[in-house]
Amino acid sequence: MAPVIKLNNGLDMPQVGFGLWKVPNDVCAEVVYNAIKVGYRLFDGAADYGNEVECGQGIARAIKEGLVKREDLFIVSKLWNTFHDGDRVEPIVKKQLADWGIDYFDLYLIHFPVALEYVDPSVRYPPGWHYDGKSEIRPSKASIQETWTAMESLVDKGLAKSIGISNFQAQLIYDLLRYARIRPATLQIEHHPYLVQPELLKLAKKEGIAVTAYSSFGPASFQEFNMEHATKLTPLLEDETIKKIASKYEREPSQVLLRWATQRGLAIIPKSNSPSRMKANFESVNFDLSEEDIATISAMDRNIRFNQPSNYFPTEMLWIFG
């Protein structure tokens, strides 16, 4: 039986999920369908990924063919930055649900702690970071508290079973917890051996917030953006330390990186378009690393973040992130 993580609201979340970032639209429905056949039940999407319609088509096919029922699945999506104003949250969630072809999300997250001016979906969807679709950044005055209050109403109305946050750091989490009526069930963060974030993980554990790791393979997800660190660092899948540990257990380097996260209590959302790699990622929980090997991998920490505001904003706008 696939492992689950018990959330602070009593619901179970699969520990191994399937990430949908950068899954191309033309193959997305087939990829989701194949992932369900492999055994995945959690699918991690977002408005910003621009493929929620196709994700829904893959799920609808699997349900129609009797592979799964809706209640077997754990569907995750995220609120984009341009919809943080309180009165914008529910309408965009209803659009996203319609795109997926479902009635509720199992988990709905604030994608980034960044509020940008509203862009109507009829103008451009997904709207991206820039108001004009090119270079202009227009902040919104919406506070995290305003947005979170609207997120809580999604639970009240049955549009989301759980709500959470993504890309938040400690200070914002502490602030949110001061006024949250419904505490965040999960925190999704960039997490890999080059960015371990031990203090943030300790905070989340103390506050009963489950952590989901994305970009488990480090720079591999970001090399196409020509980021300096992503192109200069040794890819984790090719790192000699990781390869040596993988050889010891007769596993793939990818499986070692994923198991390093799950064995420490985190959820993971790797993605692959290849059914064989999907299967290998899904089966990464079927062995255990020694405590010594876990410590060795953790010691690779360089505190290097690839998903950061400088990738999207001109320098003078970085104050938005603090």
Side-chain angles (χ1 to χ4, degrees), residues 206-226:
K206 178 177 180 292
E207 297 296 341
I209 302 171
V211 175
T212 297
Y214 70 78
S215 297
S216 295
F217 305 142
S221 299
F222 300 94
Q223 287 173 329
E224 67 192 75
F225 302 116
N226 294 315

Side-chain angles (χ1 to χ4, degrees), residues 137-152:
I137 300 290
R138 286 196 187 179
S140 158
K141 295 185 181 298
S143 66
I144 296 295
Q145 184 170 6
E146 177 183 343
T147 306
W148 190 252
T149 299
M151 295 279 287
E152 291 172 326

Side-chain angles (χ1 to χ4, degrees), residues 293-311:
D293 289 330
I294 289 175
T296 296
I297 297 171
S298 297
M300 295 171 62
D301 191 10
R302 301 191 188 185
N303 197 32
I304 293 177
R305 187 185 309 277
F306 299 107
N307 194 13
Q308 56 187 341
S310 58
N311 301 331

